[in-house]
Amino acid sequence: MTSRPHGPHTPHPRYVGRRALLTRTAAASLLAVPALGALTSCASGGSSGGTKDVGRVEPTADNPLGAHPDGDLEVVIFDGGFGDQYALDAEKLYEQRFGSVTHVKTQEIQSRLQPRMVKGDPPDVVDNSGAEAMDIAALIRNDQVHDLTELLDAPSLDDPDVTVRETLQPGTVEMGQFGTQAVYRLNYAYHVYGQWYSRTALDRLDAEYPRTWDEMIAVCEKAKRAGMAGWTYAGMYPYYFNFTLYPFIAKIGGADVLRAIDNLEPNAWRHEAVRAAFEAYHELTARGYVLEGSSGLSHEESQDEWCAGRALFHPNGSWVENEAARNTPADFDMAVGPPTSLDASDAMPFETIWAAPGEPFFVPADAANVAGGMEFLRIMLGRESARNFTRLVSSLTCVRDSVDGMDLPPGLTSANEVLAAAGENLITVRLPDWYRQLNNEEIGGAIAAMMAGDIDPGEAITRCQRAADAAAADDSLQHFEHI
């Protein structure tokens, strides 16, 4: 990232013009936002009498990680928007050369696996996703996660002259690092975050996708006159708004504004780019462009409202096409656009997006079959498994160029085009996984209160900075910085 010419709290004159135009009115009171609950600290890692280690064999060209040929494997998959068929198919490939696989699917990752992690008897591979995902930072702090560097440096499944690392999309390795060169997790899906919409709905309004905030207001006003809300969102999980709000902040003030926020730097949330972004988003509420009741909706409920044509935009990630498929009209023509820019004075171009790998997998340090767990991930990173994942769940993977030549559905086609248009203008945000509770509850809660009209942008910023300062001063948290 480039160096920041202005401090994280220094006003810049270019924000004043657009910001001065924003008007605010009172809106409905905030509905209670259920807490997601952060994982409590786990016990220290290290074997404590769990399943017997199956060991390794001498590595070969076909088995570079030395996975035991008779080594059984236990794989736990989060049963969410991606389902689990992609994992079942990869497990069949594993069983062709190694032992049998015990497959578990669940949405209760934390409650089912935390006791096993503490006991030292974890599964061999964990898809650590969903609202009950375990706090990976806490697990790393307690030496409960295996370093995947040897997997990344191993020959790839399809070409022995190319390492696994060399097959990955930008940001994949970095998202697995937590302040060190070690890589503790593999984020398999490649998410494109942005303003998801229906091309059909825009066409019916005779409107173009808004590139500036003035254009956004005009489109939302047009939708309102047609009896349609401009936006809806998952108010029960308000961090969904961050999928567009974070890259919006970066567009306005530069990527280093988000870097300062990630690093918990003093006054990072008081940067004028943050204030400009918060005031723009608050304008959506002030003008009545947010679907009534959104603050109490789950992610699925808000997606259903959006697919039913009651709202134009939904802040989301590229998993939404698969997750909302059952209620998506055949003529919906789903698409995603970059977060709308503030104005022409933004520090980064309109095409800038937040795109990063998600759906995190890790191999527990105390797993009975560590080598087998890594070999399973190597299989998933092969072209056959990657293309199968995309075919099944309408999502890109972290495997570079794996969708070349594939016939993709509308939303994924759009996501791939937006990703290509962004080029190097990609934003990576680490706050959600470095400080899960801070991002999801404190920051998310402040944004939820602002979007419900319960507080103004100034108070939301104060709450965000206060929460970030508390996290920075909390010695019980492991703190990270960009390397």
Side-chain angles (χ1 to χ4, degrees):
M1 297 181 183
T2 57
S3 60
R4 183 171 56 252
H6 299 278
H9 62 284
T10 305
H12 193 294
R14 70 166 173 249
Y15 308 124
V16 175
R18 175 62 192 143
R19 184 163 54 107
L21 298 176
L22 301 178
T23 60
R24 297 182 291 275
T25 61
S29 60
L30 175 68
L31 297 176
V33 180
L36 297 182
L39 173 67
T40 56
S41 295
C42 298
S44 297
S47 298
S48 57
T51 304
K52 183 179 179 181
D53 192 333
V54 300
R56 301 192 186 194
V57 299
E58 189 70 23
T60 64
D62 291 335
N63 184 13
L65 296 167
H68 198 289
D70 298 322
D72 293 338
L73 200 69
E74 183 183 0
V75 177
V76 176
I77 298 296
F78 171 66
D79 187 19
F82 293 141
D84 68 335
Q85 186 58 50
Y86 72 94
L88 290 168
D89 293 343
E91 289 162 11
K92 290 177 183 177
L93 297 177
Y94 179 90
E95 289 180 326
Q96 290 175 6
R97 297 172 49 222
F98 302 99
S100 62
V101 177
T102 299
H103 177 90
V104 179
K105 66 176 182 178
T106 180
Q107 292 189 358
E108 301 169 341
I109 298 295
Q110 175 183 325
S111 56
R112 292 188 63 170
L113 296 189
Q114 181 179 344
R116 293 184 60 185
M117 297 292 292
V118 173
K119 185 181 177 182
D121 183 25
D124 301 300
V125 179
V126 178
D127 174 15
N128 188 41
S129 190
E132 267 209 37
M134 292 183 285
D135 186 342
I136 187 69
L139 298 179
I140 293 168
R141 182 174 65 245
N142 291 295
D143 300 322
Q144 294 175 295
V145 185
H146 185 75
D147 180 3
L148 298 177
T149 299
E150 57 184 314
L151 165 64
L152 299 180
D153 293 338
S156 63
L157 195 68
D158 301 301
D159 186 347
D161 294 326
V162 176
T163 66
V164 170
R165 185 188 302 268
E166 292 169 328
T167 68
L168 302 178
Q169 294 267 29
T172 305
V173 172
E174 290 77 6
M175 287 296 291
Q177 295 172 324
F178 288 76
T180 68
Q181 294 299 323
V183 180
Y184 292 104
R185 71 176 182 191
L186 174 75
N187 288 13
Y188 189 62
Y190 200 77
H191 300 322
V192 175
Y193 303 100
Q195 292 167 185
W196 287 79
Y197 67 101
S198 161
R199 287 193 180 96
T200 302
L202 267 186
D203 289 345
R204 287 171 179 165
L205 291 173
D206 191 25
E208 299 290 333
Y209 185 85
R211 296 175 65 91
T212 68
W213 204 253
D214 284 334
E215 291 176 5
M216 170 60 74
I217 295 303
V219 169
C220 288
E221 182 62 30
K222 206 169 192 178
K224 185 178 181 180
R225 290 198 299 267
M228 184 183 194
W231 286 65
T232 189
Y233 66 101
M236 291 177 62
Y237 308 110
Y239 54 84
Y240 267 64
F241 248 122
N242 298 346
F243 298 153
T244 55
L245 188 56
Y246 284 160
F248 186 37
I249 291 170
K251 282 187 178 185
I252 297 170
D256 276 356
V257 179
L258 288 185
R259 183 185 181 95
I261 288 173
D262 283 342
N263 290 343
L264 303 182
E265 293 181 16
N267 293 318
W269 284 97
R270 294 194 176 98
H271 195 286
E272 190 61 22
V274 177
R275 181 172 296 277
F278 274 37
E279 290 183 345
Y281 270 62
H282 186 259
E283 186 176 11
L284 299 174
T285 290
R287 290 178 177 265
Y289 297 149
V290 178
L291 182 68
E292 186 175 354
S294 291
S295 60
L297 298 178
S298 70
H299 61 295
E300 291 179 334
E301 290 168 341
S302 62
Q303 288 164 187
D304 288 347
E305 294 292 316
W306 172 58
C307 288
R310 286 186 275 274
L312 192 56
F313 296 110
H314 195 298
N316 220 315
S318 47
W319 61 81
V320 66
E321 185 167 35
N322 186 65
E323 194 169 66
R326 62 185 175 86
N327 288 328
T328 304
D331 66 345
F332 194 74
D333 199 5
M334 190 178 293
V336 62
T340 297
S341 299
L342 191 66
D343 55 38
S345 67
D346 285 355
M348 300 187 73
F350 165 75
E351 291 78 12
T352 302
I353 58 169
W354 178 7
E359 203 66 17
F361 283 74
F362 73 89
V363 174
D366 287 334
N369 191 0
V370 169
M374 289 191 293
E375 180 61 31
F376 175 74
L377 294 179
R378 194 172 80 100
I379 290 170
M380 284 185 60
L381 294 171
R383 187 174 176 83
E384 178 180 350
S385 292
R387 290 171 72 85
N388 186 53
F389 180 85
T390 298
R391 190 178 300 110
L392 288 171
V393 307
S394 186
S395 174
L396 303 174
T397 70
C398 65
V399 182
R400 191 179 62 247
D401 301 328
S402 60
V403 299
D404 287 358
M406 293 185 67
D407 185 17
L408 304 177
L412 191 56
T413 297
S414 174
N416 205 33
E417 291 171 351
V418 166
L419 181 62
E424 296 182 356
N425 295 302
L426 300 179
I427 298 301
T428 299
V429 185
R430 299 309 308 270
L431 197 74
D433 50 359
W434 283 355
Y435 308 105
R436 180 178 173 84
Q437 180 173 337
L438 171 64
N439 179 78
N440 291 5
E441 297 184 29
E442 282 86 1
I443 303 300
I447 292 169
M450 179 182 74
M451 294 309 300
D454 194 47
I455 61 175
D456 64 20
E459 175 60 23
I461 289 170
T462 296
R463 291 189 186 184
C464 290
Q465 189 59 60
R466 185 187 302 134
D469 290 343
D474 188 348
D475 292 337
S476 70
L477 293 177
Q478 183 169 358
H479 296 107
F480 303 98
E481 290 188 359
H482 287 271
I483 57 174

